[in-house]
Amino acid sequence: DVVMTQSPLSLPVTLGQPASISCRSSQGLVHSDGNTYLNWFQQRPGQSPRRLIYQVSNRDSGVPDRFSGSGSGTDFTLKISRVEAEDVGVYYCMQGIHWPWTFGQGTNVEIK
Amino acid sequence: EVQMVESGGTLVQPGGSLRLSCAASGFTFSNYWMSWVRQAPGKGLAWVANINHDGSEKYYVDSVEGRFTISRDNVKNSLYLQMNSLSAEDTAEYYCARAGGVGTVDYWGQGTLVTVSS
């Protein structure tokens, strides 16, 4: 299985400050169609996951533009430009090209 | 509004069986692949199974292959997960999710809790 490795696993952030989460895959995520199927999900406490980003950098409708995704090959990053209180939760990267699809361990974002 | 509502989760004894259901609404169900994803208490997310539009293709993670069966009824707009030979390692919140494109899921249900314990 493709292993998705996130860092850090815990991320205390001051309100209004930026945050960055790294995700590294054990295999490349570029499909034969040329697209890279790397997603980011947010799971707020007590809630279901919510997709934020698909195909590395495409933000879902309704997702604030302070969230951005980047990367290529096997190295990807989710950035929050200015953390707000509602951003507290666990963030997961997920690859959707090799079966079984796999998630990273999750990064717990909390406010300092 | 896209919505998925799971049901069927409960306490079951080791070795037992359970069938989960997911009622979908707000979209043309038969046009989408669907997935089951689970989350053990306090743990991360883990894929369980995928099924294509008409149910002719099914994919399972190794740990459930041969014990779990994913299926769907496009007339009833429903997704199912038949789980047999359950063990404590299957204790988790089970989420139904819509595969809204290649290599992704875009909407999730609220989950249903399965607890395997004697």
Side-chain angles (χ1 to χ4, degrees), chain A:
Chain A
D1 296 359
V2 175
V3 177
M4 305 296 287
T5 303
Q6 290 182 227
S7 63
L9 299 184
S10 180
L11 185 55
V13 187
T14 301
L15 286 173
Q17 292 301 301
S20 180
I21 301 170
S22 172
C23 175
R24 180 165 292 178
S25 61
S26 62
Q27 297 180 35
L29 304 182
V30 182
H31 193 271
S32 55
D33 63 9
N35 294 316
T36 300
Y37 294 108
L38 186 284
N39 306 271
W40 288 97
F41 294 89
Q42 174 196 61
Q43 188 174 31
R44 290 171 171 152
Q47 295 188 13
S48 303
R50 166 200 184 196
R51 193 179 69 178
L52 300 176
I53 302 282
Y54 61 97
Q55 289 183 33
V56 180
S57 59
N58 295 287
R59 208 168 32 246
D60 270 276
S61 175
V63 174
D65 61 7
R66 63 179 181 273
F67 289 93
S68 64
S70 63
S72 63
T74 60
D75 289 291
F76 305 93
T77 302
L78 176 70
K79 292 183 179 177
I80 310 174
S81 59
R82 296 172 305 279
V83 171
E84 298 190 5
E86 66 178 16
D87 300 335
V88 165
V90 181
Y91 291 77
Y92 297 92
C93 61
M94 175 229 132
Q95 65 83 18
I97 183 171
H98 304 283
W99 184 256
W101 295 352
T102 47
F103 293 92
Q105 317 97 301
T107 295
N108 185 39
V109 172
E110 60 183 23
I111 304 300
K112 281 183 184 176

Side-chain angles (χ1 to χ4, degrees), chain B:
Chain B
E1 178 193 4
V2 173
Q3 194 170 12
M4 275 87 71
V5 178
E6 301 92 334
S7 61
T10 190
L11 173 64
V12 60
Q13 291 192 339
S17 298
L18 203 58
R19 189 197 198 203
L20 305 183
S21 299
C22 168
S25 59
F27 64 101
T28 304
F29 182 71
S30 58
N31 285 354
Y32 290 86
W33 285 63
M34 296 294 294
S35 302
W36 286 102
V37 181
R38 65 184 178 182
Q39 186 171 35
K43 302 297 184 182
L45 299 166
W47 225 273
V48 175
N50 277 8
I51 187 169
N52 74 335
H53 313 80
D54 63 5
S56 60
E57 294 182 47
K58 304 175 184 181
Y59 299 89
Y60 301 93
V61 68
D62 284 351
S63 59
V64 308
E65 181 84 57
R67 300 188 299 123
F68 289 13
T69 302
I70 188 172
S71 62
R72 63 191 298 160
D73 184 330
N74 287 344
V75 174
K76 295 182 177 179
N77 291 340
S78 292
L79 178 72
Y80 306 102
L81 186 67
Q82 176 67 43
M83 304 186 294
N84 299 330
S85 303
L86 287 162
S87 70
E89 288 67 40
D90 298 313
T91 293
E93 191 83 23
Y94 283 75
Y95 294 100
C96 164
R98 186 183 85 166
V102 177
T104 189
V105 291
D106 56 356
Y107 287 94
W108 299 65
Q110 88 290 346
T112 188
L113 181 63
V114 173
T115 303
V116 184
S117 175
S118 55

